[in-house]
Amino acid sequence: MRAYLVEDNVAISDSLISAMDDMANVETVGIARSQAEAEAWLARHPGEWDVLIIDLFLEEGSGLGVVKKVATRRPGQQVIVLTNYAEVAEDEALTCGADAVFDKLTGLELFLEHLRQGRQENDLQRD
């Protein structure tokens, strides 16, 4: 499974990439630090990701803007919001088009389990 990560904190993105690779067998195909950077990459690579992982607060712009931009996407592509403000932002993120919302601090294991399950479903569809 291929992930595109939208996260402005380098330490967090490095940790997430390592955890997703080690614990969920997810390959990170790119990283954006801002809304504009994410939207540009996604427009150029519409079919080159299976899961889009977005933080809400970015260097510039908003993660919700990115979620809205990909509200209509290819079948099988999933948008996950991973934020420190999951409890506050969950309803809005889901309304904007996210498939799931997880808290960075308390929901990281649930997030990784969600990725593992998605990976298994993708593998079954390819067989």
Side-chain angles (χ1 to χ4, degrees):
M1 192 159 67
R2 301 164 299 169
Y4 187 75
L5 179 60
V6 183
E7 169 63 63
D8 64 340
N9 184 305
V10 175
I12 291 173
S13 62
D14 288 348
S15 295
L16 283 173
I17 290 167
S18 179
M20 290 187 303
D21 182 39
D22 292 345
M23 301 167 116
N25 198 25
V26 172
E27 172 194 5
T28 302
V29 295
I31 304 166
R33 307 266 182 240
S34 70
Q35 179 179 347
E37 184 182 359
E39 290 175 354
W41 188 92
L42 292 162
R44 289 189 316 271
H45 305 93
E48 296 179 28
W49 58 276
D50 301 306
V51 62
L52 177 60
I53 301 153
I54 306 171
D55 185 18
L56 293 182
F57 296 99
L58 303 172
E59 214 171 70
E60 293 177 23
S62 162
L64 283 179
V66 179
V67 173
K68 291 175 188 175
K69 195 74 167 180
V70 295
T72 54
R73 54 192 170 269
R74 294 173 185 223
Q77 289 179 318
Q78 191 173 140
V79 175
I80 298 173
V81 171
L82 184 63
T83 181
N84 289 326
Y85 305 95
E87 194 172 301
V88 174
E90 182 173 19
D91 288 341
E92 187 174 6
L94 294 172
T95 299
C96 289
D99 296 300
V101 179
F102 295 96
D103 189 280
K104 284 182 187 175
L105 296 177
T106 63
L108 197 54
E109 187 54 44
L110 291 172
F111 163 72
L112 293 169
E113 180 57 31
H114 184 84
L115 290 180
R116 284 189 289 270
Q117 288 175 354
R119 175 71 188 184
Q120 290 169 354
E121 290 171 13
N122 275 357
D123 290 346
L124 289 174
Q125 290 174 358
R126 290 182 187 159
D127 288 345

